[in-house]
Each structure stands twice: as structure tokens, then as C-alpha cells.
Amino acid sequence: MNKTISSALVAVSLIAAASLSSGCCSKDTQDRQAKYIFVMIGDGMGATQAAVAESYLSYKAGKLGGEQLCFTQFPVLGTCTTFSADKNITCSSASGTAIATGHKTNNNMLGVDPEGNSLKSMAYTLKEQGYRIGIMSSVPVNHATPASFYGHNKNRGDYYNIAREIPESDFDFFAGSGILQFKGKDNDKEGIDEYLEREGYDVCFGLQELKESEDRDGVVLIPASQRKESAANYEIDRNDEDDYVLRDVVSAAIEYLGEDNPFFIMCEGGEIDWAAHDNNAKDLVDATLRFDDAVKVAYEFYLRHPDETLIIVTADHETGGVTIGANKGKSIGWEGIEKAFSEDRKYDSQEKREISFDNNIGWTTFDHTGGPVPIYAIGVGAERFAGRMDNTDIHDKIVRK
């Protein structure tokens, strides 16, 4: 992290810590809704995922520890439980729905309650209050977490029809690594770009097309390399110079939404989850650092508007059961991990797990786990996110009634 951001965070942290410890947070701060709201979700990112990334940063700095991500320096820290309506261990659509709407639902359901009734996400409420809305992810924009903020479907895998809900939302800015089922599950439907354009959205393939767009009523940003194609479910090969990373999307969204009106941005770092499903320590670090870069963009905006901005960073669940320490080892072998993944060969998930274990990073599963996840917060109303809560509590702590 650059010295300007780090120094500013230290100053803000000291002020916030003093306020929290003395109980002198003003009622205005506690009750006021921020003008600019960022909800940043690291999919599958438990506290240890962040700690693994920080260990790697420390290794690169020639230290055992001490380096921090941007968001782990935020002054307010809480935790939230993540169970769904029907399972101890949630899926992303159920947890995304809980965060977005304040209501539990069953695994694999999206934006609806267990009986299939539509739920209203905070993004719709804020839109009604005059906020401009941006929904973005490093994975497809019709995937579970981003779709939880605009979609309604009993089946999270019905990607084509979930994408067709974008115009019904009337939200302003959408972006992701592409769109799943671009022409339907069997590739026999109208291209989703044609549908979105007919419904009033400007579909921009790449940042250059976005810059050239004169449409201020709604855009959907798709990487240039994904033109007319269904997005890969678990990876995107950046093979076009106009492809982008998550920090670019957040910057573009802020510019597009503008500062004249209030805005709400939901930003997901989705590849953290996929790397953890794969028990891939190197990709996990890379994905977490890219997500942190996106948080830095929001934080730099906060520095310009500290009395009007709220940023919360959390996760929908933890994935992989990652641990710092395996085989009774006392130090992570980052050199060994880097060497293994620099070799010109492909590993399956079991081999990636073994590389981790050989270098003292452990995994317990290739799937989600059920433990609580952290919430990091800074800005207007950040103190509401201190302590233990459920993921359904996040909705009301953001949307003031």
C-alpha cells in the first residue's frame, strides 16, 4: 500500500478507536445514511484468506509478518454468521440474498424466500431514494453474488433469465468478466447483448467502448475478449489489451455514476472463492490482492469525501477451510509455492492442495465452510458494524429506516 493511504488509515483508525472506546460517537453519525455507499464482497474470503495474502506480502517485503491489506486497516471490525435458511453451510446465492435483502433463503435460491416469493434488495430501496446503482464483479455479472442484488429466481443456475432481469432493475451500471449463458443454456436464444440493447442499455465491450459511450441511462460493461461469447464459469483469459481488472471497473463505475447524486456500489471479488475451491494458494493470494486493489479505489474516494462515504468489506462465506500451518510446520514456504506455480505445467486440485501442504498451508475442504466471516468498515455509520451479527443484519445497518 502506498504511504499516503497507509498514513491516512493510521490517522483515521486512531480517531475512530478513540471515539469507539469513549462511547462518543454522535447520534448523527449513528443514524445518518451515507451519500456514497460501497459494499465490497470477497467471495469465499474468511479472515485466514486475508491473513494468507498478508503473509505473502510480508514475505515479498523480506519479513515474517506485519504487512497489511488496505481493508484490514479499517478502524471497525465485526463478524457475521452465514448459515442459510436450510443449511449450516451456505452457498453464494443464499448468502448474497441474505446480505442484499436482510432475509434468509435456501441454498441455490436467489433473491426469493424459501417459498419463492420475491425479496427486495437494498439496491432497489436505495434506487427509490434517488441513489444511482452500480453492480460489478470480477466474475460474470449474472453469477450468484452480484445477481443477488438485482435478480429473483428459484434456481441460481438459470443464468440466461437472471441476465434478462437486468433491465427490470433500472440500475445504472453493470460490469463483470462476461455473461454466463450468453445465448441461453443450449446456445439457442437471442444474444443477451441484443436483448439488453433493445431494453435501453448500452452494452460496451471493453473500457474503450465505455469511454466512447454517450448513454447515461444505463450501461453493461463486458470484456472485449468476451464479445458475443458466454463467459467461462471459472476463469477468464485476459487475451485482449482492452480487458480489465476489478480496480478498473470500480474506477469506471465511480466516473460513470458521478458525484452529483448519491450512489451505491456493490463490488465482488469472485475469484477468491474459485481459487479456494481449487485449494490453489498462489491464485488465492493473487485474487485477494486484486480485490484489495479495488478496495483501495473506494478508499481513495472516501479520502475525498470522508463525511459522506461508507465502505464495508465482508464475505458471503469462507471457502476451503484454509489454515496457516500444516504438517506441524512453523513457517510458510512461499519460495516453494512460487517455484511450483512458475513451472510450465498444469496441476489438478489435489496436486495444488499437496503443494500447499508441502509448504505449510493447510486446507480442509474443496467447498464452503460454515464459520463466521469478518466485516471491515470505515466511514459514515461504520460503528454499526462492530461486534457479532448475522449476515441478514447488514441490510438494515446500511439502509436507515
Side-chain angles (χ1 to χ4, degrees):
M1 181 183 302
N2 66 53
K3 292 182 179 179
T4 300
I5 294 178
S6 183
S7 298
L9 271 167
V10 169
V12 171
S13 297
L14 290 172
I15 294 169
S19 297
L20 287 169
S21 62
S22 64
C24 64
C25 294
S26 69
K27 189 175 188 302
D28 174 67
T29 301
Q30 292 173 7
D31 293 342
R32 185 160 54 93
Q33 183 169 290
K35 180 178 180 180
Y36 309 112
I37 302 169
F38 294 85
V39 174
M40 317 284 283
I41 299 175
D43 196 313
M45 187 187 73
T48 309
Q49 276 79 2
V52 168
E54 291 180 334
S55 173
Y56 179 76
L57 289 177
S58 299
Y59 155 72
K60 298 301 284 187
K63 303 186 294 185
L64 283 176
E67 292 298 302
Q68 286 188 260
L69 300 167
C70 176
F71 59 82
T72 63
Q73 298 179 65
F74 286 3
V76 175
L77 176 64
T79 64
C80 69
T81 49
T82 63
F83 61 93
S84 68
D86 66 336
K87 294 289 188 294
N88 294 115
I89 299 171
T90 189
C91 76
S92 291
S93 63
S95 56
T97 298
I99 294 169
T101 71
H103 295 276
K104 298 284 188 184
T105 194
N106 293 343
N107 280 10
N108 298 316
M109 300 181 80
L110 176 84
V112 296
D113 67 18
E115 287 71 45
N117 302 304
S118 291
L119 297 169
K120 185 176 183 180
S121 87
M122 65 176 76
Y124 283 96
T125 300
L126 292 168
K127 182 70 175 178
E128 292 170 358
Q129 295 177 3
Y131 283 68
R132 302 198 77 195
I133 308 296
I135 306 294
M136 62 214 66
S137 177
S138 63
V139 301
V141 73
N142 56 341
H143 213 268
T145 302
S148 297
F149 284 79
Y150 68 87
H152 310 83
N153 202 297
K154 293 181 181 180
N155 175 16
R156 59 172 283 182
D158 188 10
Y159 297 116
Y160 185 75
N161 285 317
I162 289 169
R164 285 172 63 92
E165 282 199 74
I166 286 174
E168 296 177 28
S169 73
D170 198 32
F171 295 167
D172 304 277
F173 183 97
F174 290 87
S177 67
I179 294 180
L180 293 165
Q181 297 179 2
F182 198 89
K183 294 183 179 180
K185 185 176 181 179
D186 298 317
N187 206 36
D188 59 352
K189 300 284 196 286
E190 175 187 24
I192 199 66
D193 58 334
E194 298 173 15
Y195 174 78
L196 294 173
E197 292 272 5
R198 190 170 67 250
E199 294 297 316
Y201 279 79
D202 189 6
V203 179
C204 300
F205 291 96
L207 292 172
Q208 187 58 42
E209 286 192 9
L210 177 63
K211 291 176 183 176
E212 296 168 358
S213 174
E214 297 181 357
D215 192 327
R216 308 309 295 176
D217 294 326
V219 297
V220 179
L221 176 63
I222 299 172
S225 63
Q226 297 294 303
R227 187 181 298 273
K228 305 288 184 179
E229 294 183 5
S230 184
N233 197 5
Y234 286 97
E235 64 181 25
I236 175 171
D237 296 321
R238 289 172 49 80
N239 55 13
D240 190 291
E241 64 180 11
D242 198 32
D243 282 353
Y244 44 75
V245 291
L246 196 57
R247 66 172 182 269
D248 302 323
V249 177
V250 178
S251 294
I254 291 172
E255 182 177 352
Y256 181 84
L257 297 174
E259 299 177 18
D260 292 339
N261 294 313
F263 67 67
F264 168 83
I265 285 176
M266 193 296 299
C267 171
E268 181 205 22
E271 302 136 298
I272 300 169
D273 176 63
W274 293 349
H277 274 293
D278 211 21
N279 283 190
N280 186 328
K282 187 61 170 64
D283 280 359
L284 173 68
V285 167
D286 292 344
T288 304
L289 294 181
R290 285 195 300 273
F291 176 65
D292 191 54
D293 283 343
V295 175
K296 288 177 186 176
V297 174
Y299 180 70
E300 287 163 357
F301 181 89
Y302 160 81
L303 290 178
R304 299 194 299 273
H305 306 277
D307 297 326
E308 300 177 292
T309 305
L310 169 66
I311 307 172
I312 72 159
V313 178
T314 190
D316 48 357
H317 52 74
E318 195 274 349
T319 302
V322 66
T323 59
I324 296 178
N327 305 317
K328 297 184 178 179
K330 304 303 182 193
S331 295
I332 296 177
W334 284 116
E335 288 186 11
I337 291 171
E338 285 194 318
K339 182 178 183 299
F341 284 101
S342 67
E343 295 176 358
D344 187 20
R345 58 164 293 190
K346 290 186 179 294
Y347 300 100
D348 62 28
S349 295
Q350 186 60 44
E351 289 172 319
K352 292 169 186 174
R353 171 183 276 202
E354 290 170 1
I355 290 169
S356 291
F357 271 93
D358 288 344
N359 292 281
N360 300 324
I361 290 179
W363 300 89
T364 63
T365 180
F366 292 105
D367 212 331
H368 302 172
T369 63
V373 296
I375 303 177
Y376 312 89
I378 191 170
V380 177
E383 65 275 4
R384 295 194 289 267
F385 297 92
R388 182 182 172 91
M389 67 200 75
D390 185 63
N391 56 8
T392 55
D393 296 324
I394 293 173
H395 175 279
D396 285 356
K397 291 177 185 293
I398 291 175
V399 180
R400 309 307 291 157
K401 295 182 178 179

